[in-house]
């Protein structure tokens, strides 16, 4: 009569657990390296960034806001429809 329970070798289970642990460790190491890169990134204060943005907006002419900057000459406006160059069009 065969034994009701067979004893299996636990190698498969141990290998799977070991590979899962390796995978988790690799993911944690990748996350750790990304966080270290974030820490090394140069930072500026929000107040400095805001002032820089305000100065840029005040000094840079925006063709899409004519109410603030006035009407733009068609030659200067990059969003104006372009006139065909030359004297003829071949169809």
């Amino acid at each position: 009569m065969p034994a009701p329970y067979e004893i299996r070798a636990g190698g498969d289970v141990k290998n799977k657990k070991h590979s899962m642990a390796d995978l988790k460790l690799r993911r944690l190491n990748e996350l750790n390296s990304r966080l270290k890169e974030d820490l090394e990134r140069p930072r500026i204060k929000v107040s400095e960034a805001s002032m820089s943005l305000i100065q840029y907006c005040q000094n840079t002419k925006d063709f899409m806001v004519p109410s603030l900057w006035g009407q733009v000459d068609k030659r200067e406006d990059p969003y104006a429809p372009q006139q065909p160059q030359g004297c003829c069009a071949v169809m």
Side-chain angles (χ1 to χ4, degrees):
M1 178 174 206
Y5 300 103
E6 290 183 29
I7 298 175
R8 289 195 256 170
D12 253 1
V13 174
K14 284 185 181 179
N15 285 341
K16 285 184 182 178
K17 285 185 180 179
H18 186 65
S19 66
M20 288 297 287
D22 287 343
L23 179 63
K24 286 181 182 179
L25 179 62
R26 188 174 344 125
R27 286 183 181 169
L28 285 173
N29 284 336
E30 289 172 359
L31 175 63
N32 193 21
S33 65
R34 282 192 302 245
L35 290 173
K36 284 181 181 180
E37 289 173 7
D38 284 347
L39 278 176
E40 293 170 358
R41 187 172 298 133
R43 312 264 182 201
I44 61 171
K45 294 180 180 179
V46 174
S47 57
E48 293 175 21
S50 329
M51 287 303 298
S52 174
L53 182 61
I54 289 170
Q55 287 175 351
Y56 175 80
C57 291
Q58 289 175 342
N59 297 330
T60 305
K61 194 170 188 176
D62 188 355
F63 298 110
M64 299 300 285
V65 189
S67 60
L68 181 64
W69 294 100
Q71 292 298 323
V72 181
D73 186 17
K74 292 208 184 240
R75 288 176 280 152
E76 293 180 20
D77 189 359
Y79 303 107
Q82 299 295 321
Q83 297 295 328
Q85 305 226 345
C87 63
C88 313
V90 177
M91 294 197 191

